[in-house]
Amino acid sequence: MSRETSLHLNTRNGNTDHRGTAWHYRAQDQGDESNHYPGSIPVADVERRLFHWQAESRPLAVQTPADLQTMTHFSEDGTPVRWTTVEGKQAICRSDRRDGSVMGIFTTGYAMHQYREWLLNTVADILDDDLSISSAGLLRDRAIAWVEVSVPESITTPEGVTFRPNLLATTSFDGSISTTFKRTVSDTVCDNTRELALAEKGQQYKVKHSRYSNLRITEAREALAMINTLADEFASEVAQLCATKVTDTQWSQFLNAHVTAVDPRTGLRLTERSLITAQTKRTVLDRLYRYDQRVAPWAGTAHGVLQAVNTYEHHEGVVRGAGRAERNMLKAAVGGFGVLDRGSWAVLSGLLS
């Protein structure tokens, strides 16, 4: 079960007239105001529905022993105690909650990157007739947020791959990620997130939560222009991957290398139970590669291999402690799918060479 409400998970899809609803869409969860938009998502709606609050810095205190003169309250066992402020520390809380909930604890040098300023206002500067907000949302009880900008209509390559270039802006108040502006690609057939597997650099721009970070917000706005070159670069990569042939033998070798029988942490052979899990994963990957319409049209090519692995991670892999939609969005935010694609290509290219 996801820790996020359906509102937060579903308040993320625009231009559904062109793309259809997300795979996790539930009509019964929409309420009086739908979270899916036939056109682009208005900036005002993102602010009103998601970013209407601010993060606040509050002093951090711990409970310490006290006497009757200095006490502030009694502990659970009836002992006099008091609250003592921790020097050099701060708790980041939400302005719309007064219940003591904390998103993160940091030193006083940590600078908050407010969602409205760093995500919404920054991306709003580049919006025009060709770019619009395609998704936005909150994760981990609002401690992580994202705003995605993309072109309204999808692009289809000569190889039959339909995709949409995006710019993903994301940040956190729990220390899990720096403020990040990165280029991603959405496979519109299967709602997968992809990054350029053949590229090593130039995929993202990060700003740490330091006291000097506000000086770099102008650089961040300039970095948003990255989306303008992504369509041509991804189309070129697809053409190259589709032209790279993969034999059945090489596909089998890739499966064995991608899902090994050895624990990479210890170098020891997997337990019997883990071996069964690994074999199940290889079986599912092979089914996707050969028979699933999200992958099979490109079987026998490097693109098919990367598509099989990416589709497995999005839709077939085991998910623990969160809903699949939440897990997928978190992996997109922290770059997990980019690491996956580039890792898959590294393994495959080694076999091909």
Side-chain angles (χ1 to χ4, degrees):
M1 181 70 179
S2 172
R3 291 174 293 175
E4 304 305 315
T5 65
S6 294
L7 170 66
H8 291 160
L9 286 178
N10 283 331
T11 305
R12 56 190 300 247
N13 282 82
N15 294 312
T16 57
D17 280 351
H18 293 292
R19 306 166 191 162
T21 57
W23 61 269
H24 55 79
Y25 173 82
R26 299 291 183 273
Q28 65 269 24
D29 294 334
Q30 297 306 298
D32 296 332
E33 187 176 12
S34 176
N35 298 325
H36 278 56
Y37 293 77
S40 62
I41 303 176
V43 173
D45 275 23
V46 178
E47 181 173 358
R48 174 177 60 86
R49 304 183 71 179
L50 296 175
F51 301 159
H52 55 275
W53 53 279
Q54 292 268 67
E56 294 181 341
S57 173
R58 297 176 187 169
L60 185 67
V62 296
Q63 185 174 274
T64 57
D67 53 34
L68 294 178
Q69 286 71 41
T70 60
M71 66 174 286
T72 59
H73 60 289
F74 289 104
S75 66
E76 292 183 358
D77 62 2
T79 304
V81 292
R82 65 190 179 98
W83 291 115
T84 302
T85 300
V86 179
E87 295 295 329
K89 294 287 187 178
Q90 61 175 323
I92 306 301
C93 306
R94 290 161 40 185
S95 62
D96 61 340
R97 291 183 63 172
R98 302 293 175 180
D99 59 359
S101 59
V102 175
M103 292 185 288
I105 297 174
F106 304 94
T107 66
T108 51
Y110 173 89
M112 294 177 291
H113 290 177
Q114 301 291 352
Y115 293 158
R116 268 180 287 178
E117 178 185 12
W118 279 86
L119 302 185
L120 191 57
N121 294 345
T122 303
V123 301
D125 288 345
I126 69 167
L127 300 182
D128 54 28
D129 292 340
D130 296 323
L131 294 173
S132 61
I133 295 177
S134 54
S135 73
L138 300 165
L139 297 165
R140 289 184 179 169
D141 198 19
R142 305 190 186 187
I144 297 176
W146 85 89
V147 175
E148 181 192 72
V149 172
S150 66
V151 297
E153 298 186 31
S154 300
I155 300 168
T156 301
T157 72
E159 297 77 22
V161 177
T162 303
F163 72 95
R164 185 179 71 250
N166 313 309
L167 180 89
L168 181 65
T170 182
T171 191
S172 70
F173 289 124
D174 63 359
S176 59
I177 52 176
S178 301
T179 299
T180 304
F181 303 93
K182 61 188 301 182
R183 302 189 302 172
T184 65
V185 171
S186 294
D187 187 313
T188 56
V189 172
C190 48
D191 204 21
N192 288 6
T193 298
R194 292 279 299 270
E195 293 184 29
L196 291 174
L198 305 182
E200 296 180 357
K201 298 180 180 179
Q203 299 304 296
Q204 59 187 12
Y205 179 83
K206 290 188 175 184
V207 183
K208 293 182 178 180
H209 292 257
S210 71
R211 65 178 73 251
Y212 304 109
S213 57
N214 280 333
L215 299 176
R216 303 187 64 188
I217 194 167
T218 300
E219 297 177 29
R221 291 192 177 100
E222 294 172 352
L224 297 183
M226 292 187 300
I227 193 174
N228 294 328
T229 62
L230 180 56
D232 290 341
E233 291 177 23
F234 187 73
S236 176
E237 175 173 295
V238 166
Q240 181 176 344
L241 292 173
C242 287
T244 303
K245 302 304 179 184
V246 177
T247 66
D248 282 349
T249 299
Q250 289 167 333
W251 167 240
S252 296
Q253 292 171 338
F254 174 83
L255 285 177
N256 290 331
H258 181 68
V259 189
T260 67
V262 176
D263 188 331
R265 296 167 299 180
T266 64
L268 301 176
R269 184 173 173 80
L270 296 177
T271 63
E272 194 65 31
R273 182 176 180 180
S274 296
L275 283 171
I276 293 173
T277 301
Q279 183 55 50
T280 300
K281 181 176 181 178
R282 280 193 288 267
T283 300
V284 174
L285 282 166
D286 192 59
R287 171 178 58 78
L288 290 171
Y289 183 73
R290 297 182 187 279
Y291 306 112
D292 193 290
Q293 285 306 302
R294 295 168 294 184
V295 184
W298 302 280
T301 73
H303 177 73
V305 174
L306 269 60
Q307 183 74 349
V309 174
N310 193 281
T311 300
Y312 175 89
E313 292 299 324
H314 273 87
H315 304 286
E316 303 282 352
V318 176
V319 177
R320 297 184 177 90
R324 188 174 297 278
E326 178 187 0
R327 194 286 307 263
N328 287 350
M329 193 60 236
L330 280 170
K331 288 193 73 171
V334 302
F337 290 122
V339 171
L340 175 71
D341 287 344
R342 285 186 285 276
S344 299
W345 171 246
V347 172
L348 179 62
S349 60
L351 296 172
L352 298 176
S353 61

